[in-house]
Amino acid sequence: MKSAIRSADGVGVQRSKNSYSSIKDAAAWTTSKEFEVQWFHFAFGCVVYSMWLLVDFLTQERIGEIETRKKPRITLRRFLKWLDKELVALI
């Protein structure tokens, strides 16, 4: 059963752990004990994480090099700074 969860080389499990860590980095920090607030922050972090993956993919497509990379072309930190700047400009 364990082999059904992991890929043959174990990379799939590591990617899941890295993805979860990145989602936590994308989510807003809260001290609330309420489940609804914590769930919203996690769900919003998932949306931001997905947007970041899409932007990174579109950047690779624009360059003309779509490849599997260990490091993204646009870092999460850079994307979050850009998103923050755009949201502040909206408000």
Side-chain angles (χ1 to χ4, degrees):
M1 280 296 184
K2 235 181 185 179
S3 62
I5 297 172
R6 287 178 36 153
S7 63
D9 57 0
V11 173
V13 174
Q14 189 61 34
R15 284 187 188 149
S16 308
K17 290 179 181 178
N18 289 343
S19 297
Y20 182 72
S21 176
S22 295
I23 290 170
K24 285 175 45 178
D25 291 341
W29 187 76
T30 181
T31 58
S32 176
K33 302 280 189 223
E34 294 184 37
F35 172 76
E36 293 82 3
V37 173
Q38 292 177 351
W39 186 87
F40 174 79
H41 282 256
F42 179 75
F44 188 74
C46 289
V47 170
V48 170
Y49 175 76
S50 296
M51 287 173 37
W52 169 55
L53 290 178
L54 178 62
V55 167
D56 188 55
F57 174 77
L58 293 175
T59 301
Q60 288 186 40
E61 182 188 32
R62 182 74 173 170
I63 292 171
E65 278 185 40
I66 298 177
E67 57 187 40
T68 304
R69 296 171 47 100
K70 292 199 183 269
K71 291 184 177 181
R73 293 199 182 271
I74 298 175
T75 63
L76 179 60
R77 181 178 299 202
R78 184 174 180 184
F79 177 73
L80 290 175
K81 284 181 183 179
W82 173 82
L83 186 62
D84 184 47
K85 183 179 80 170
E86 292 297 317
L87 290 175
V88 167
L90 258 168
I91 298 172

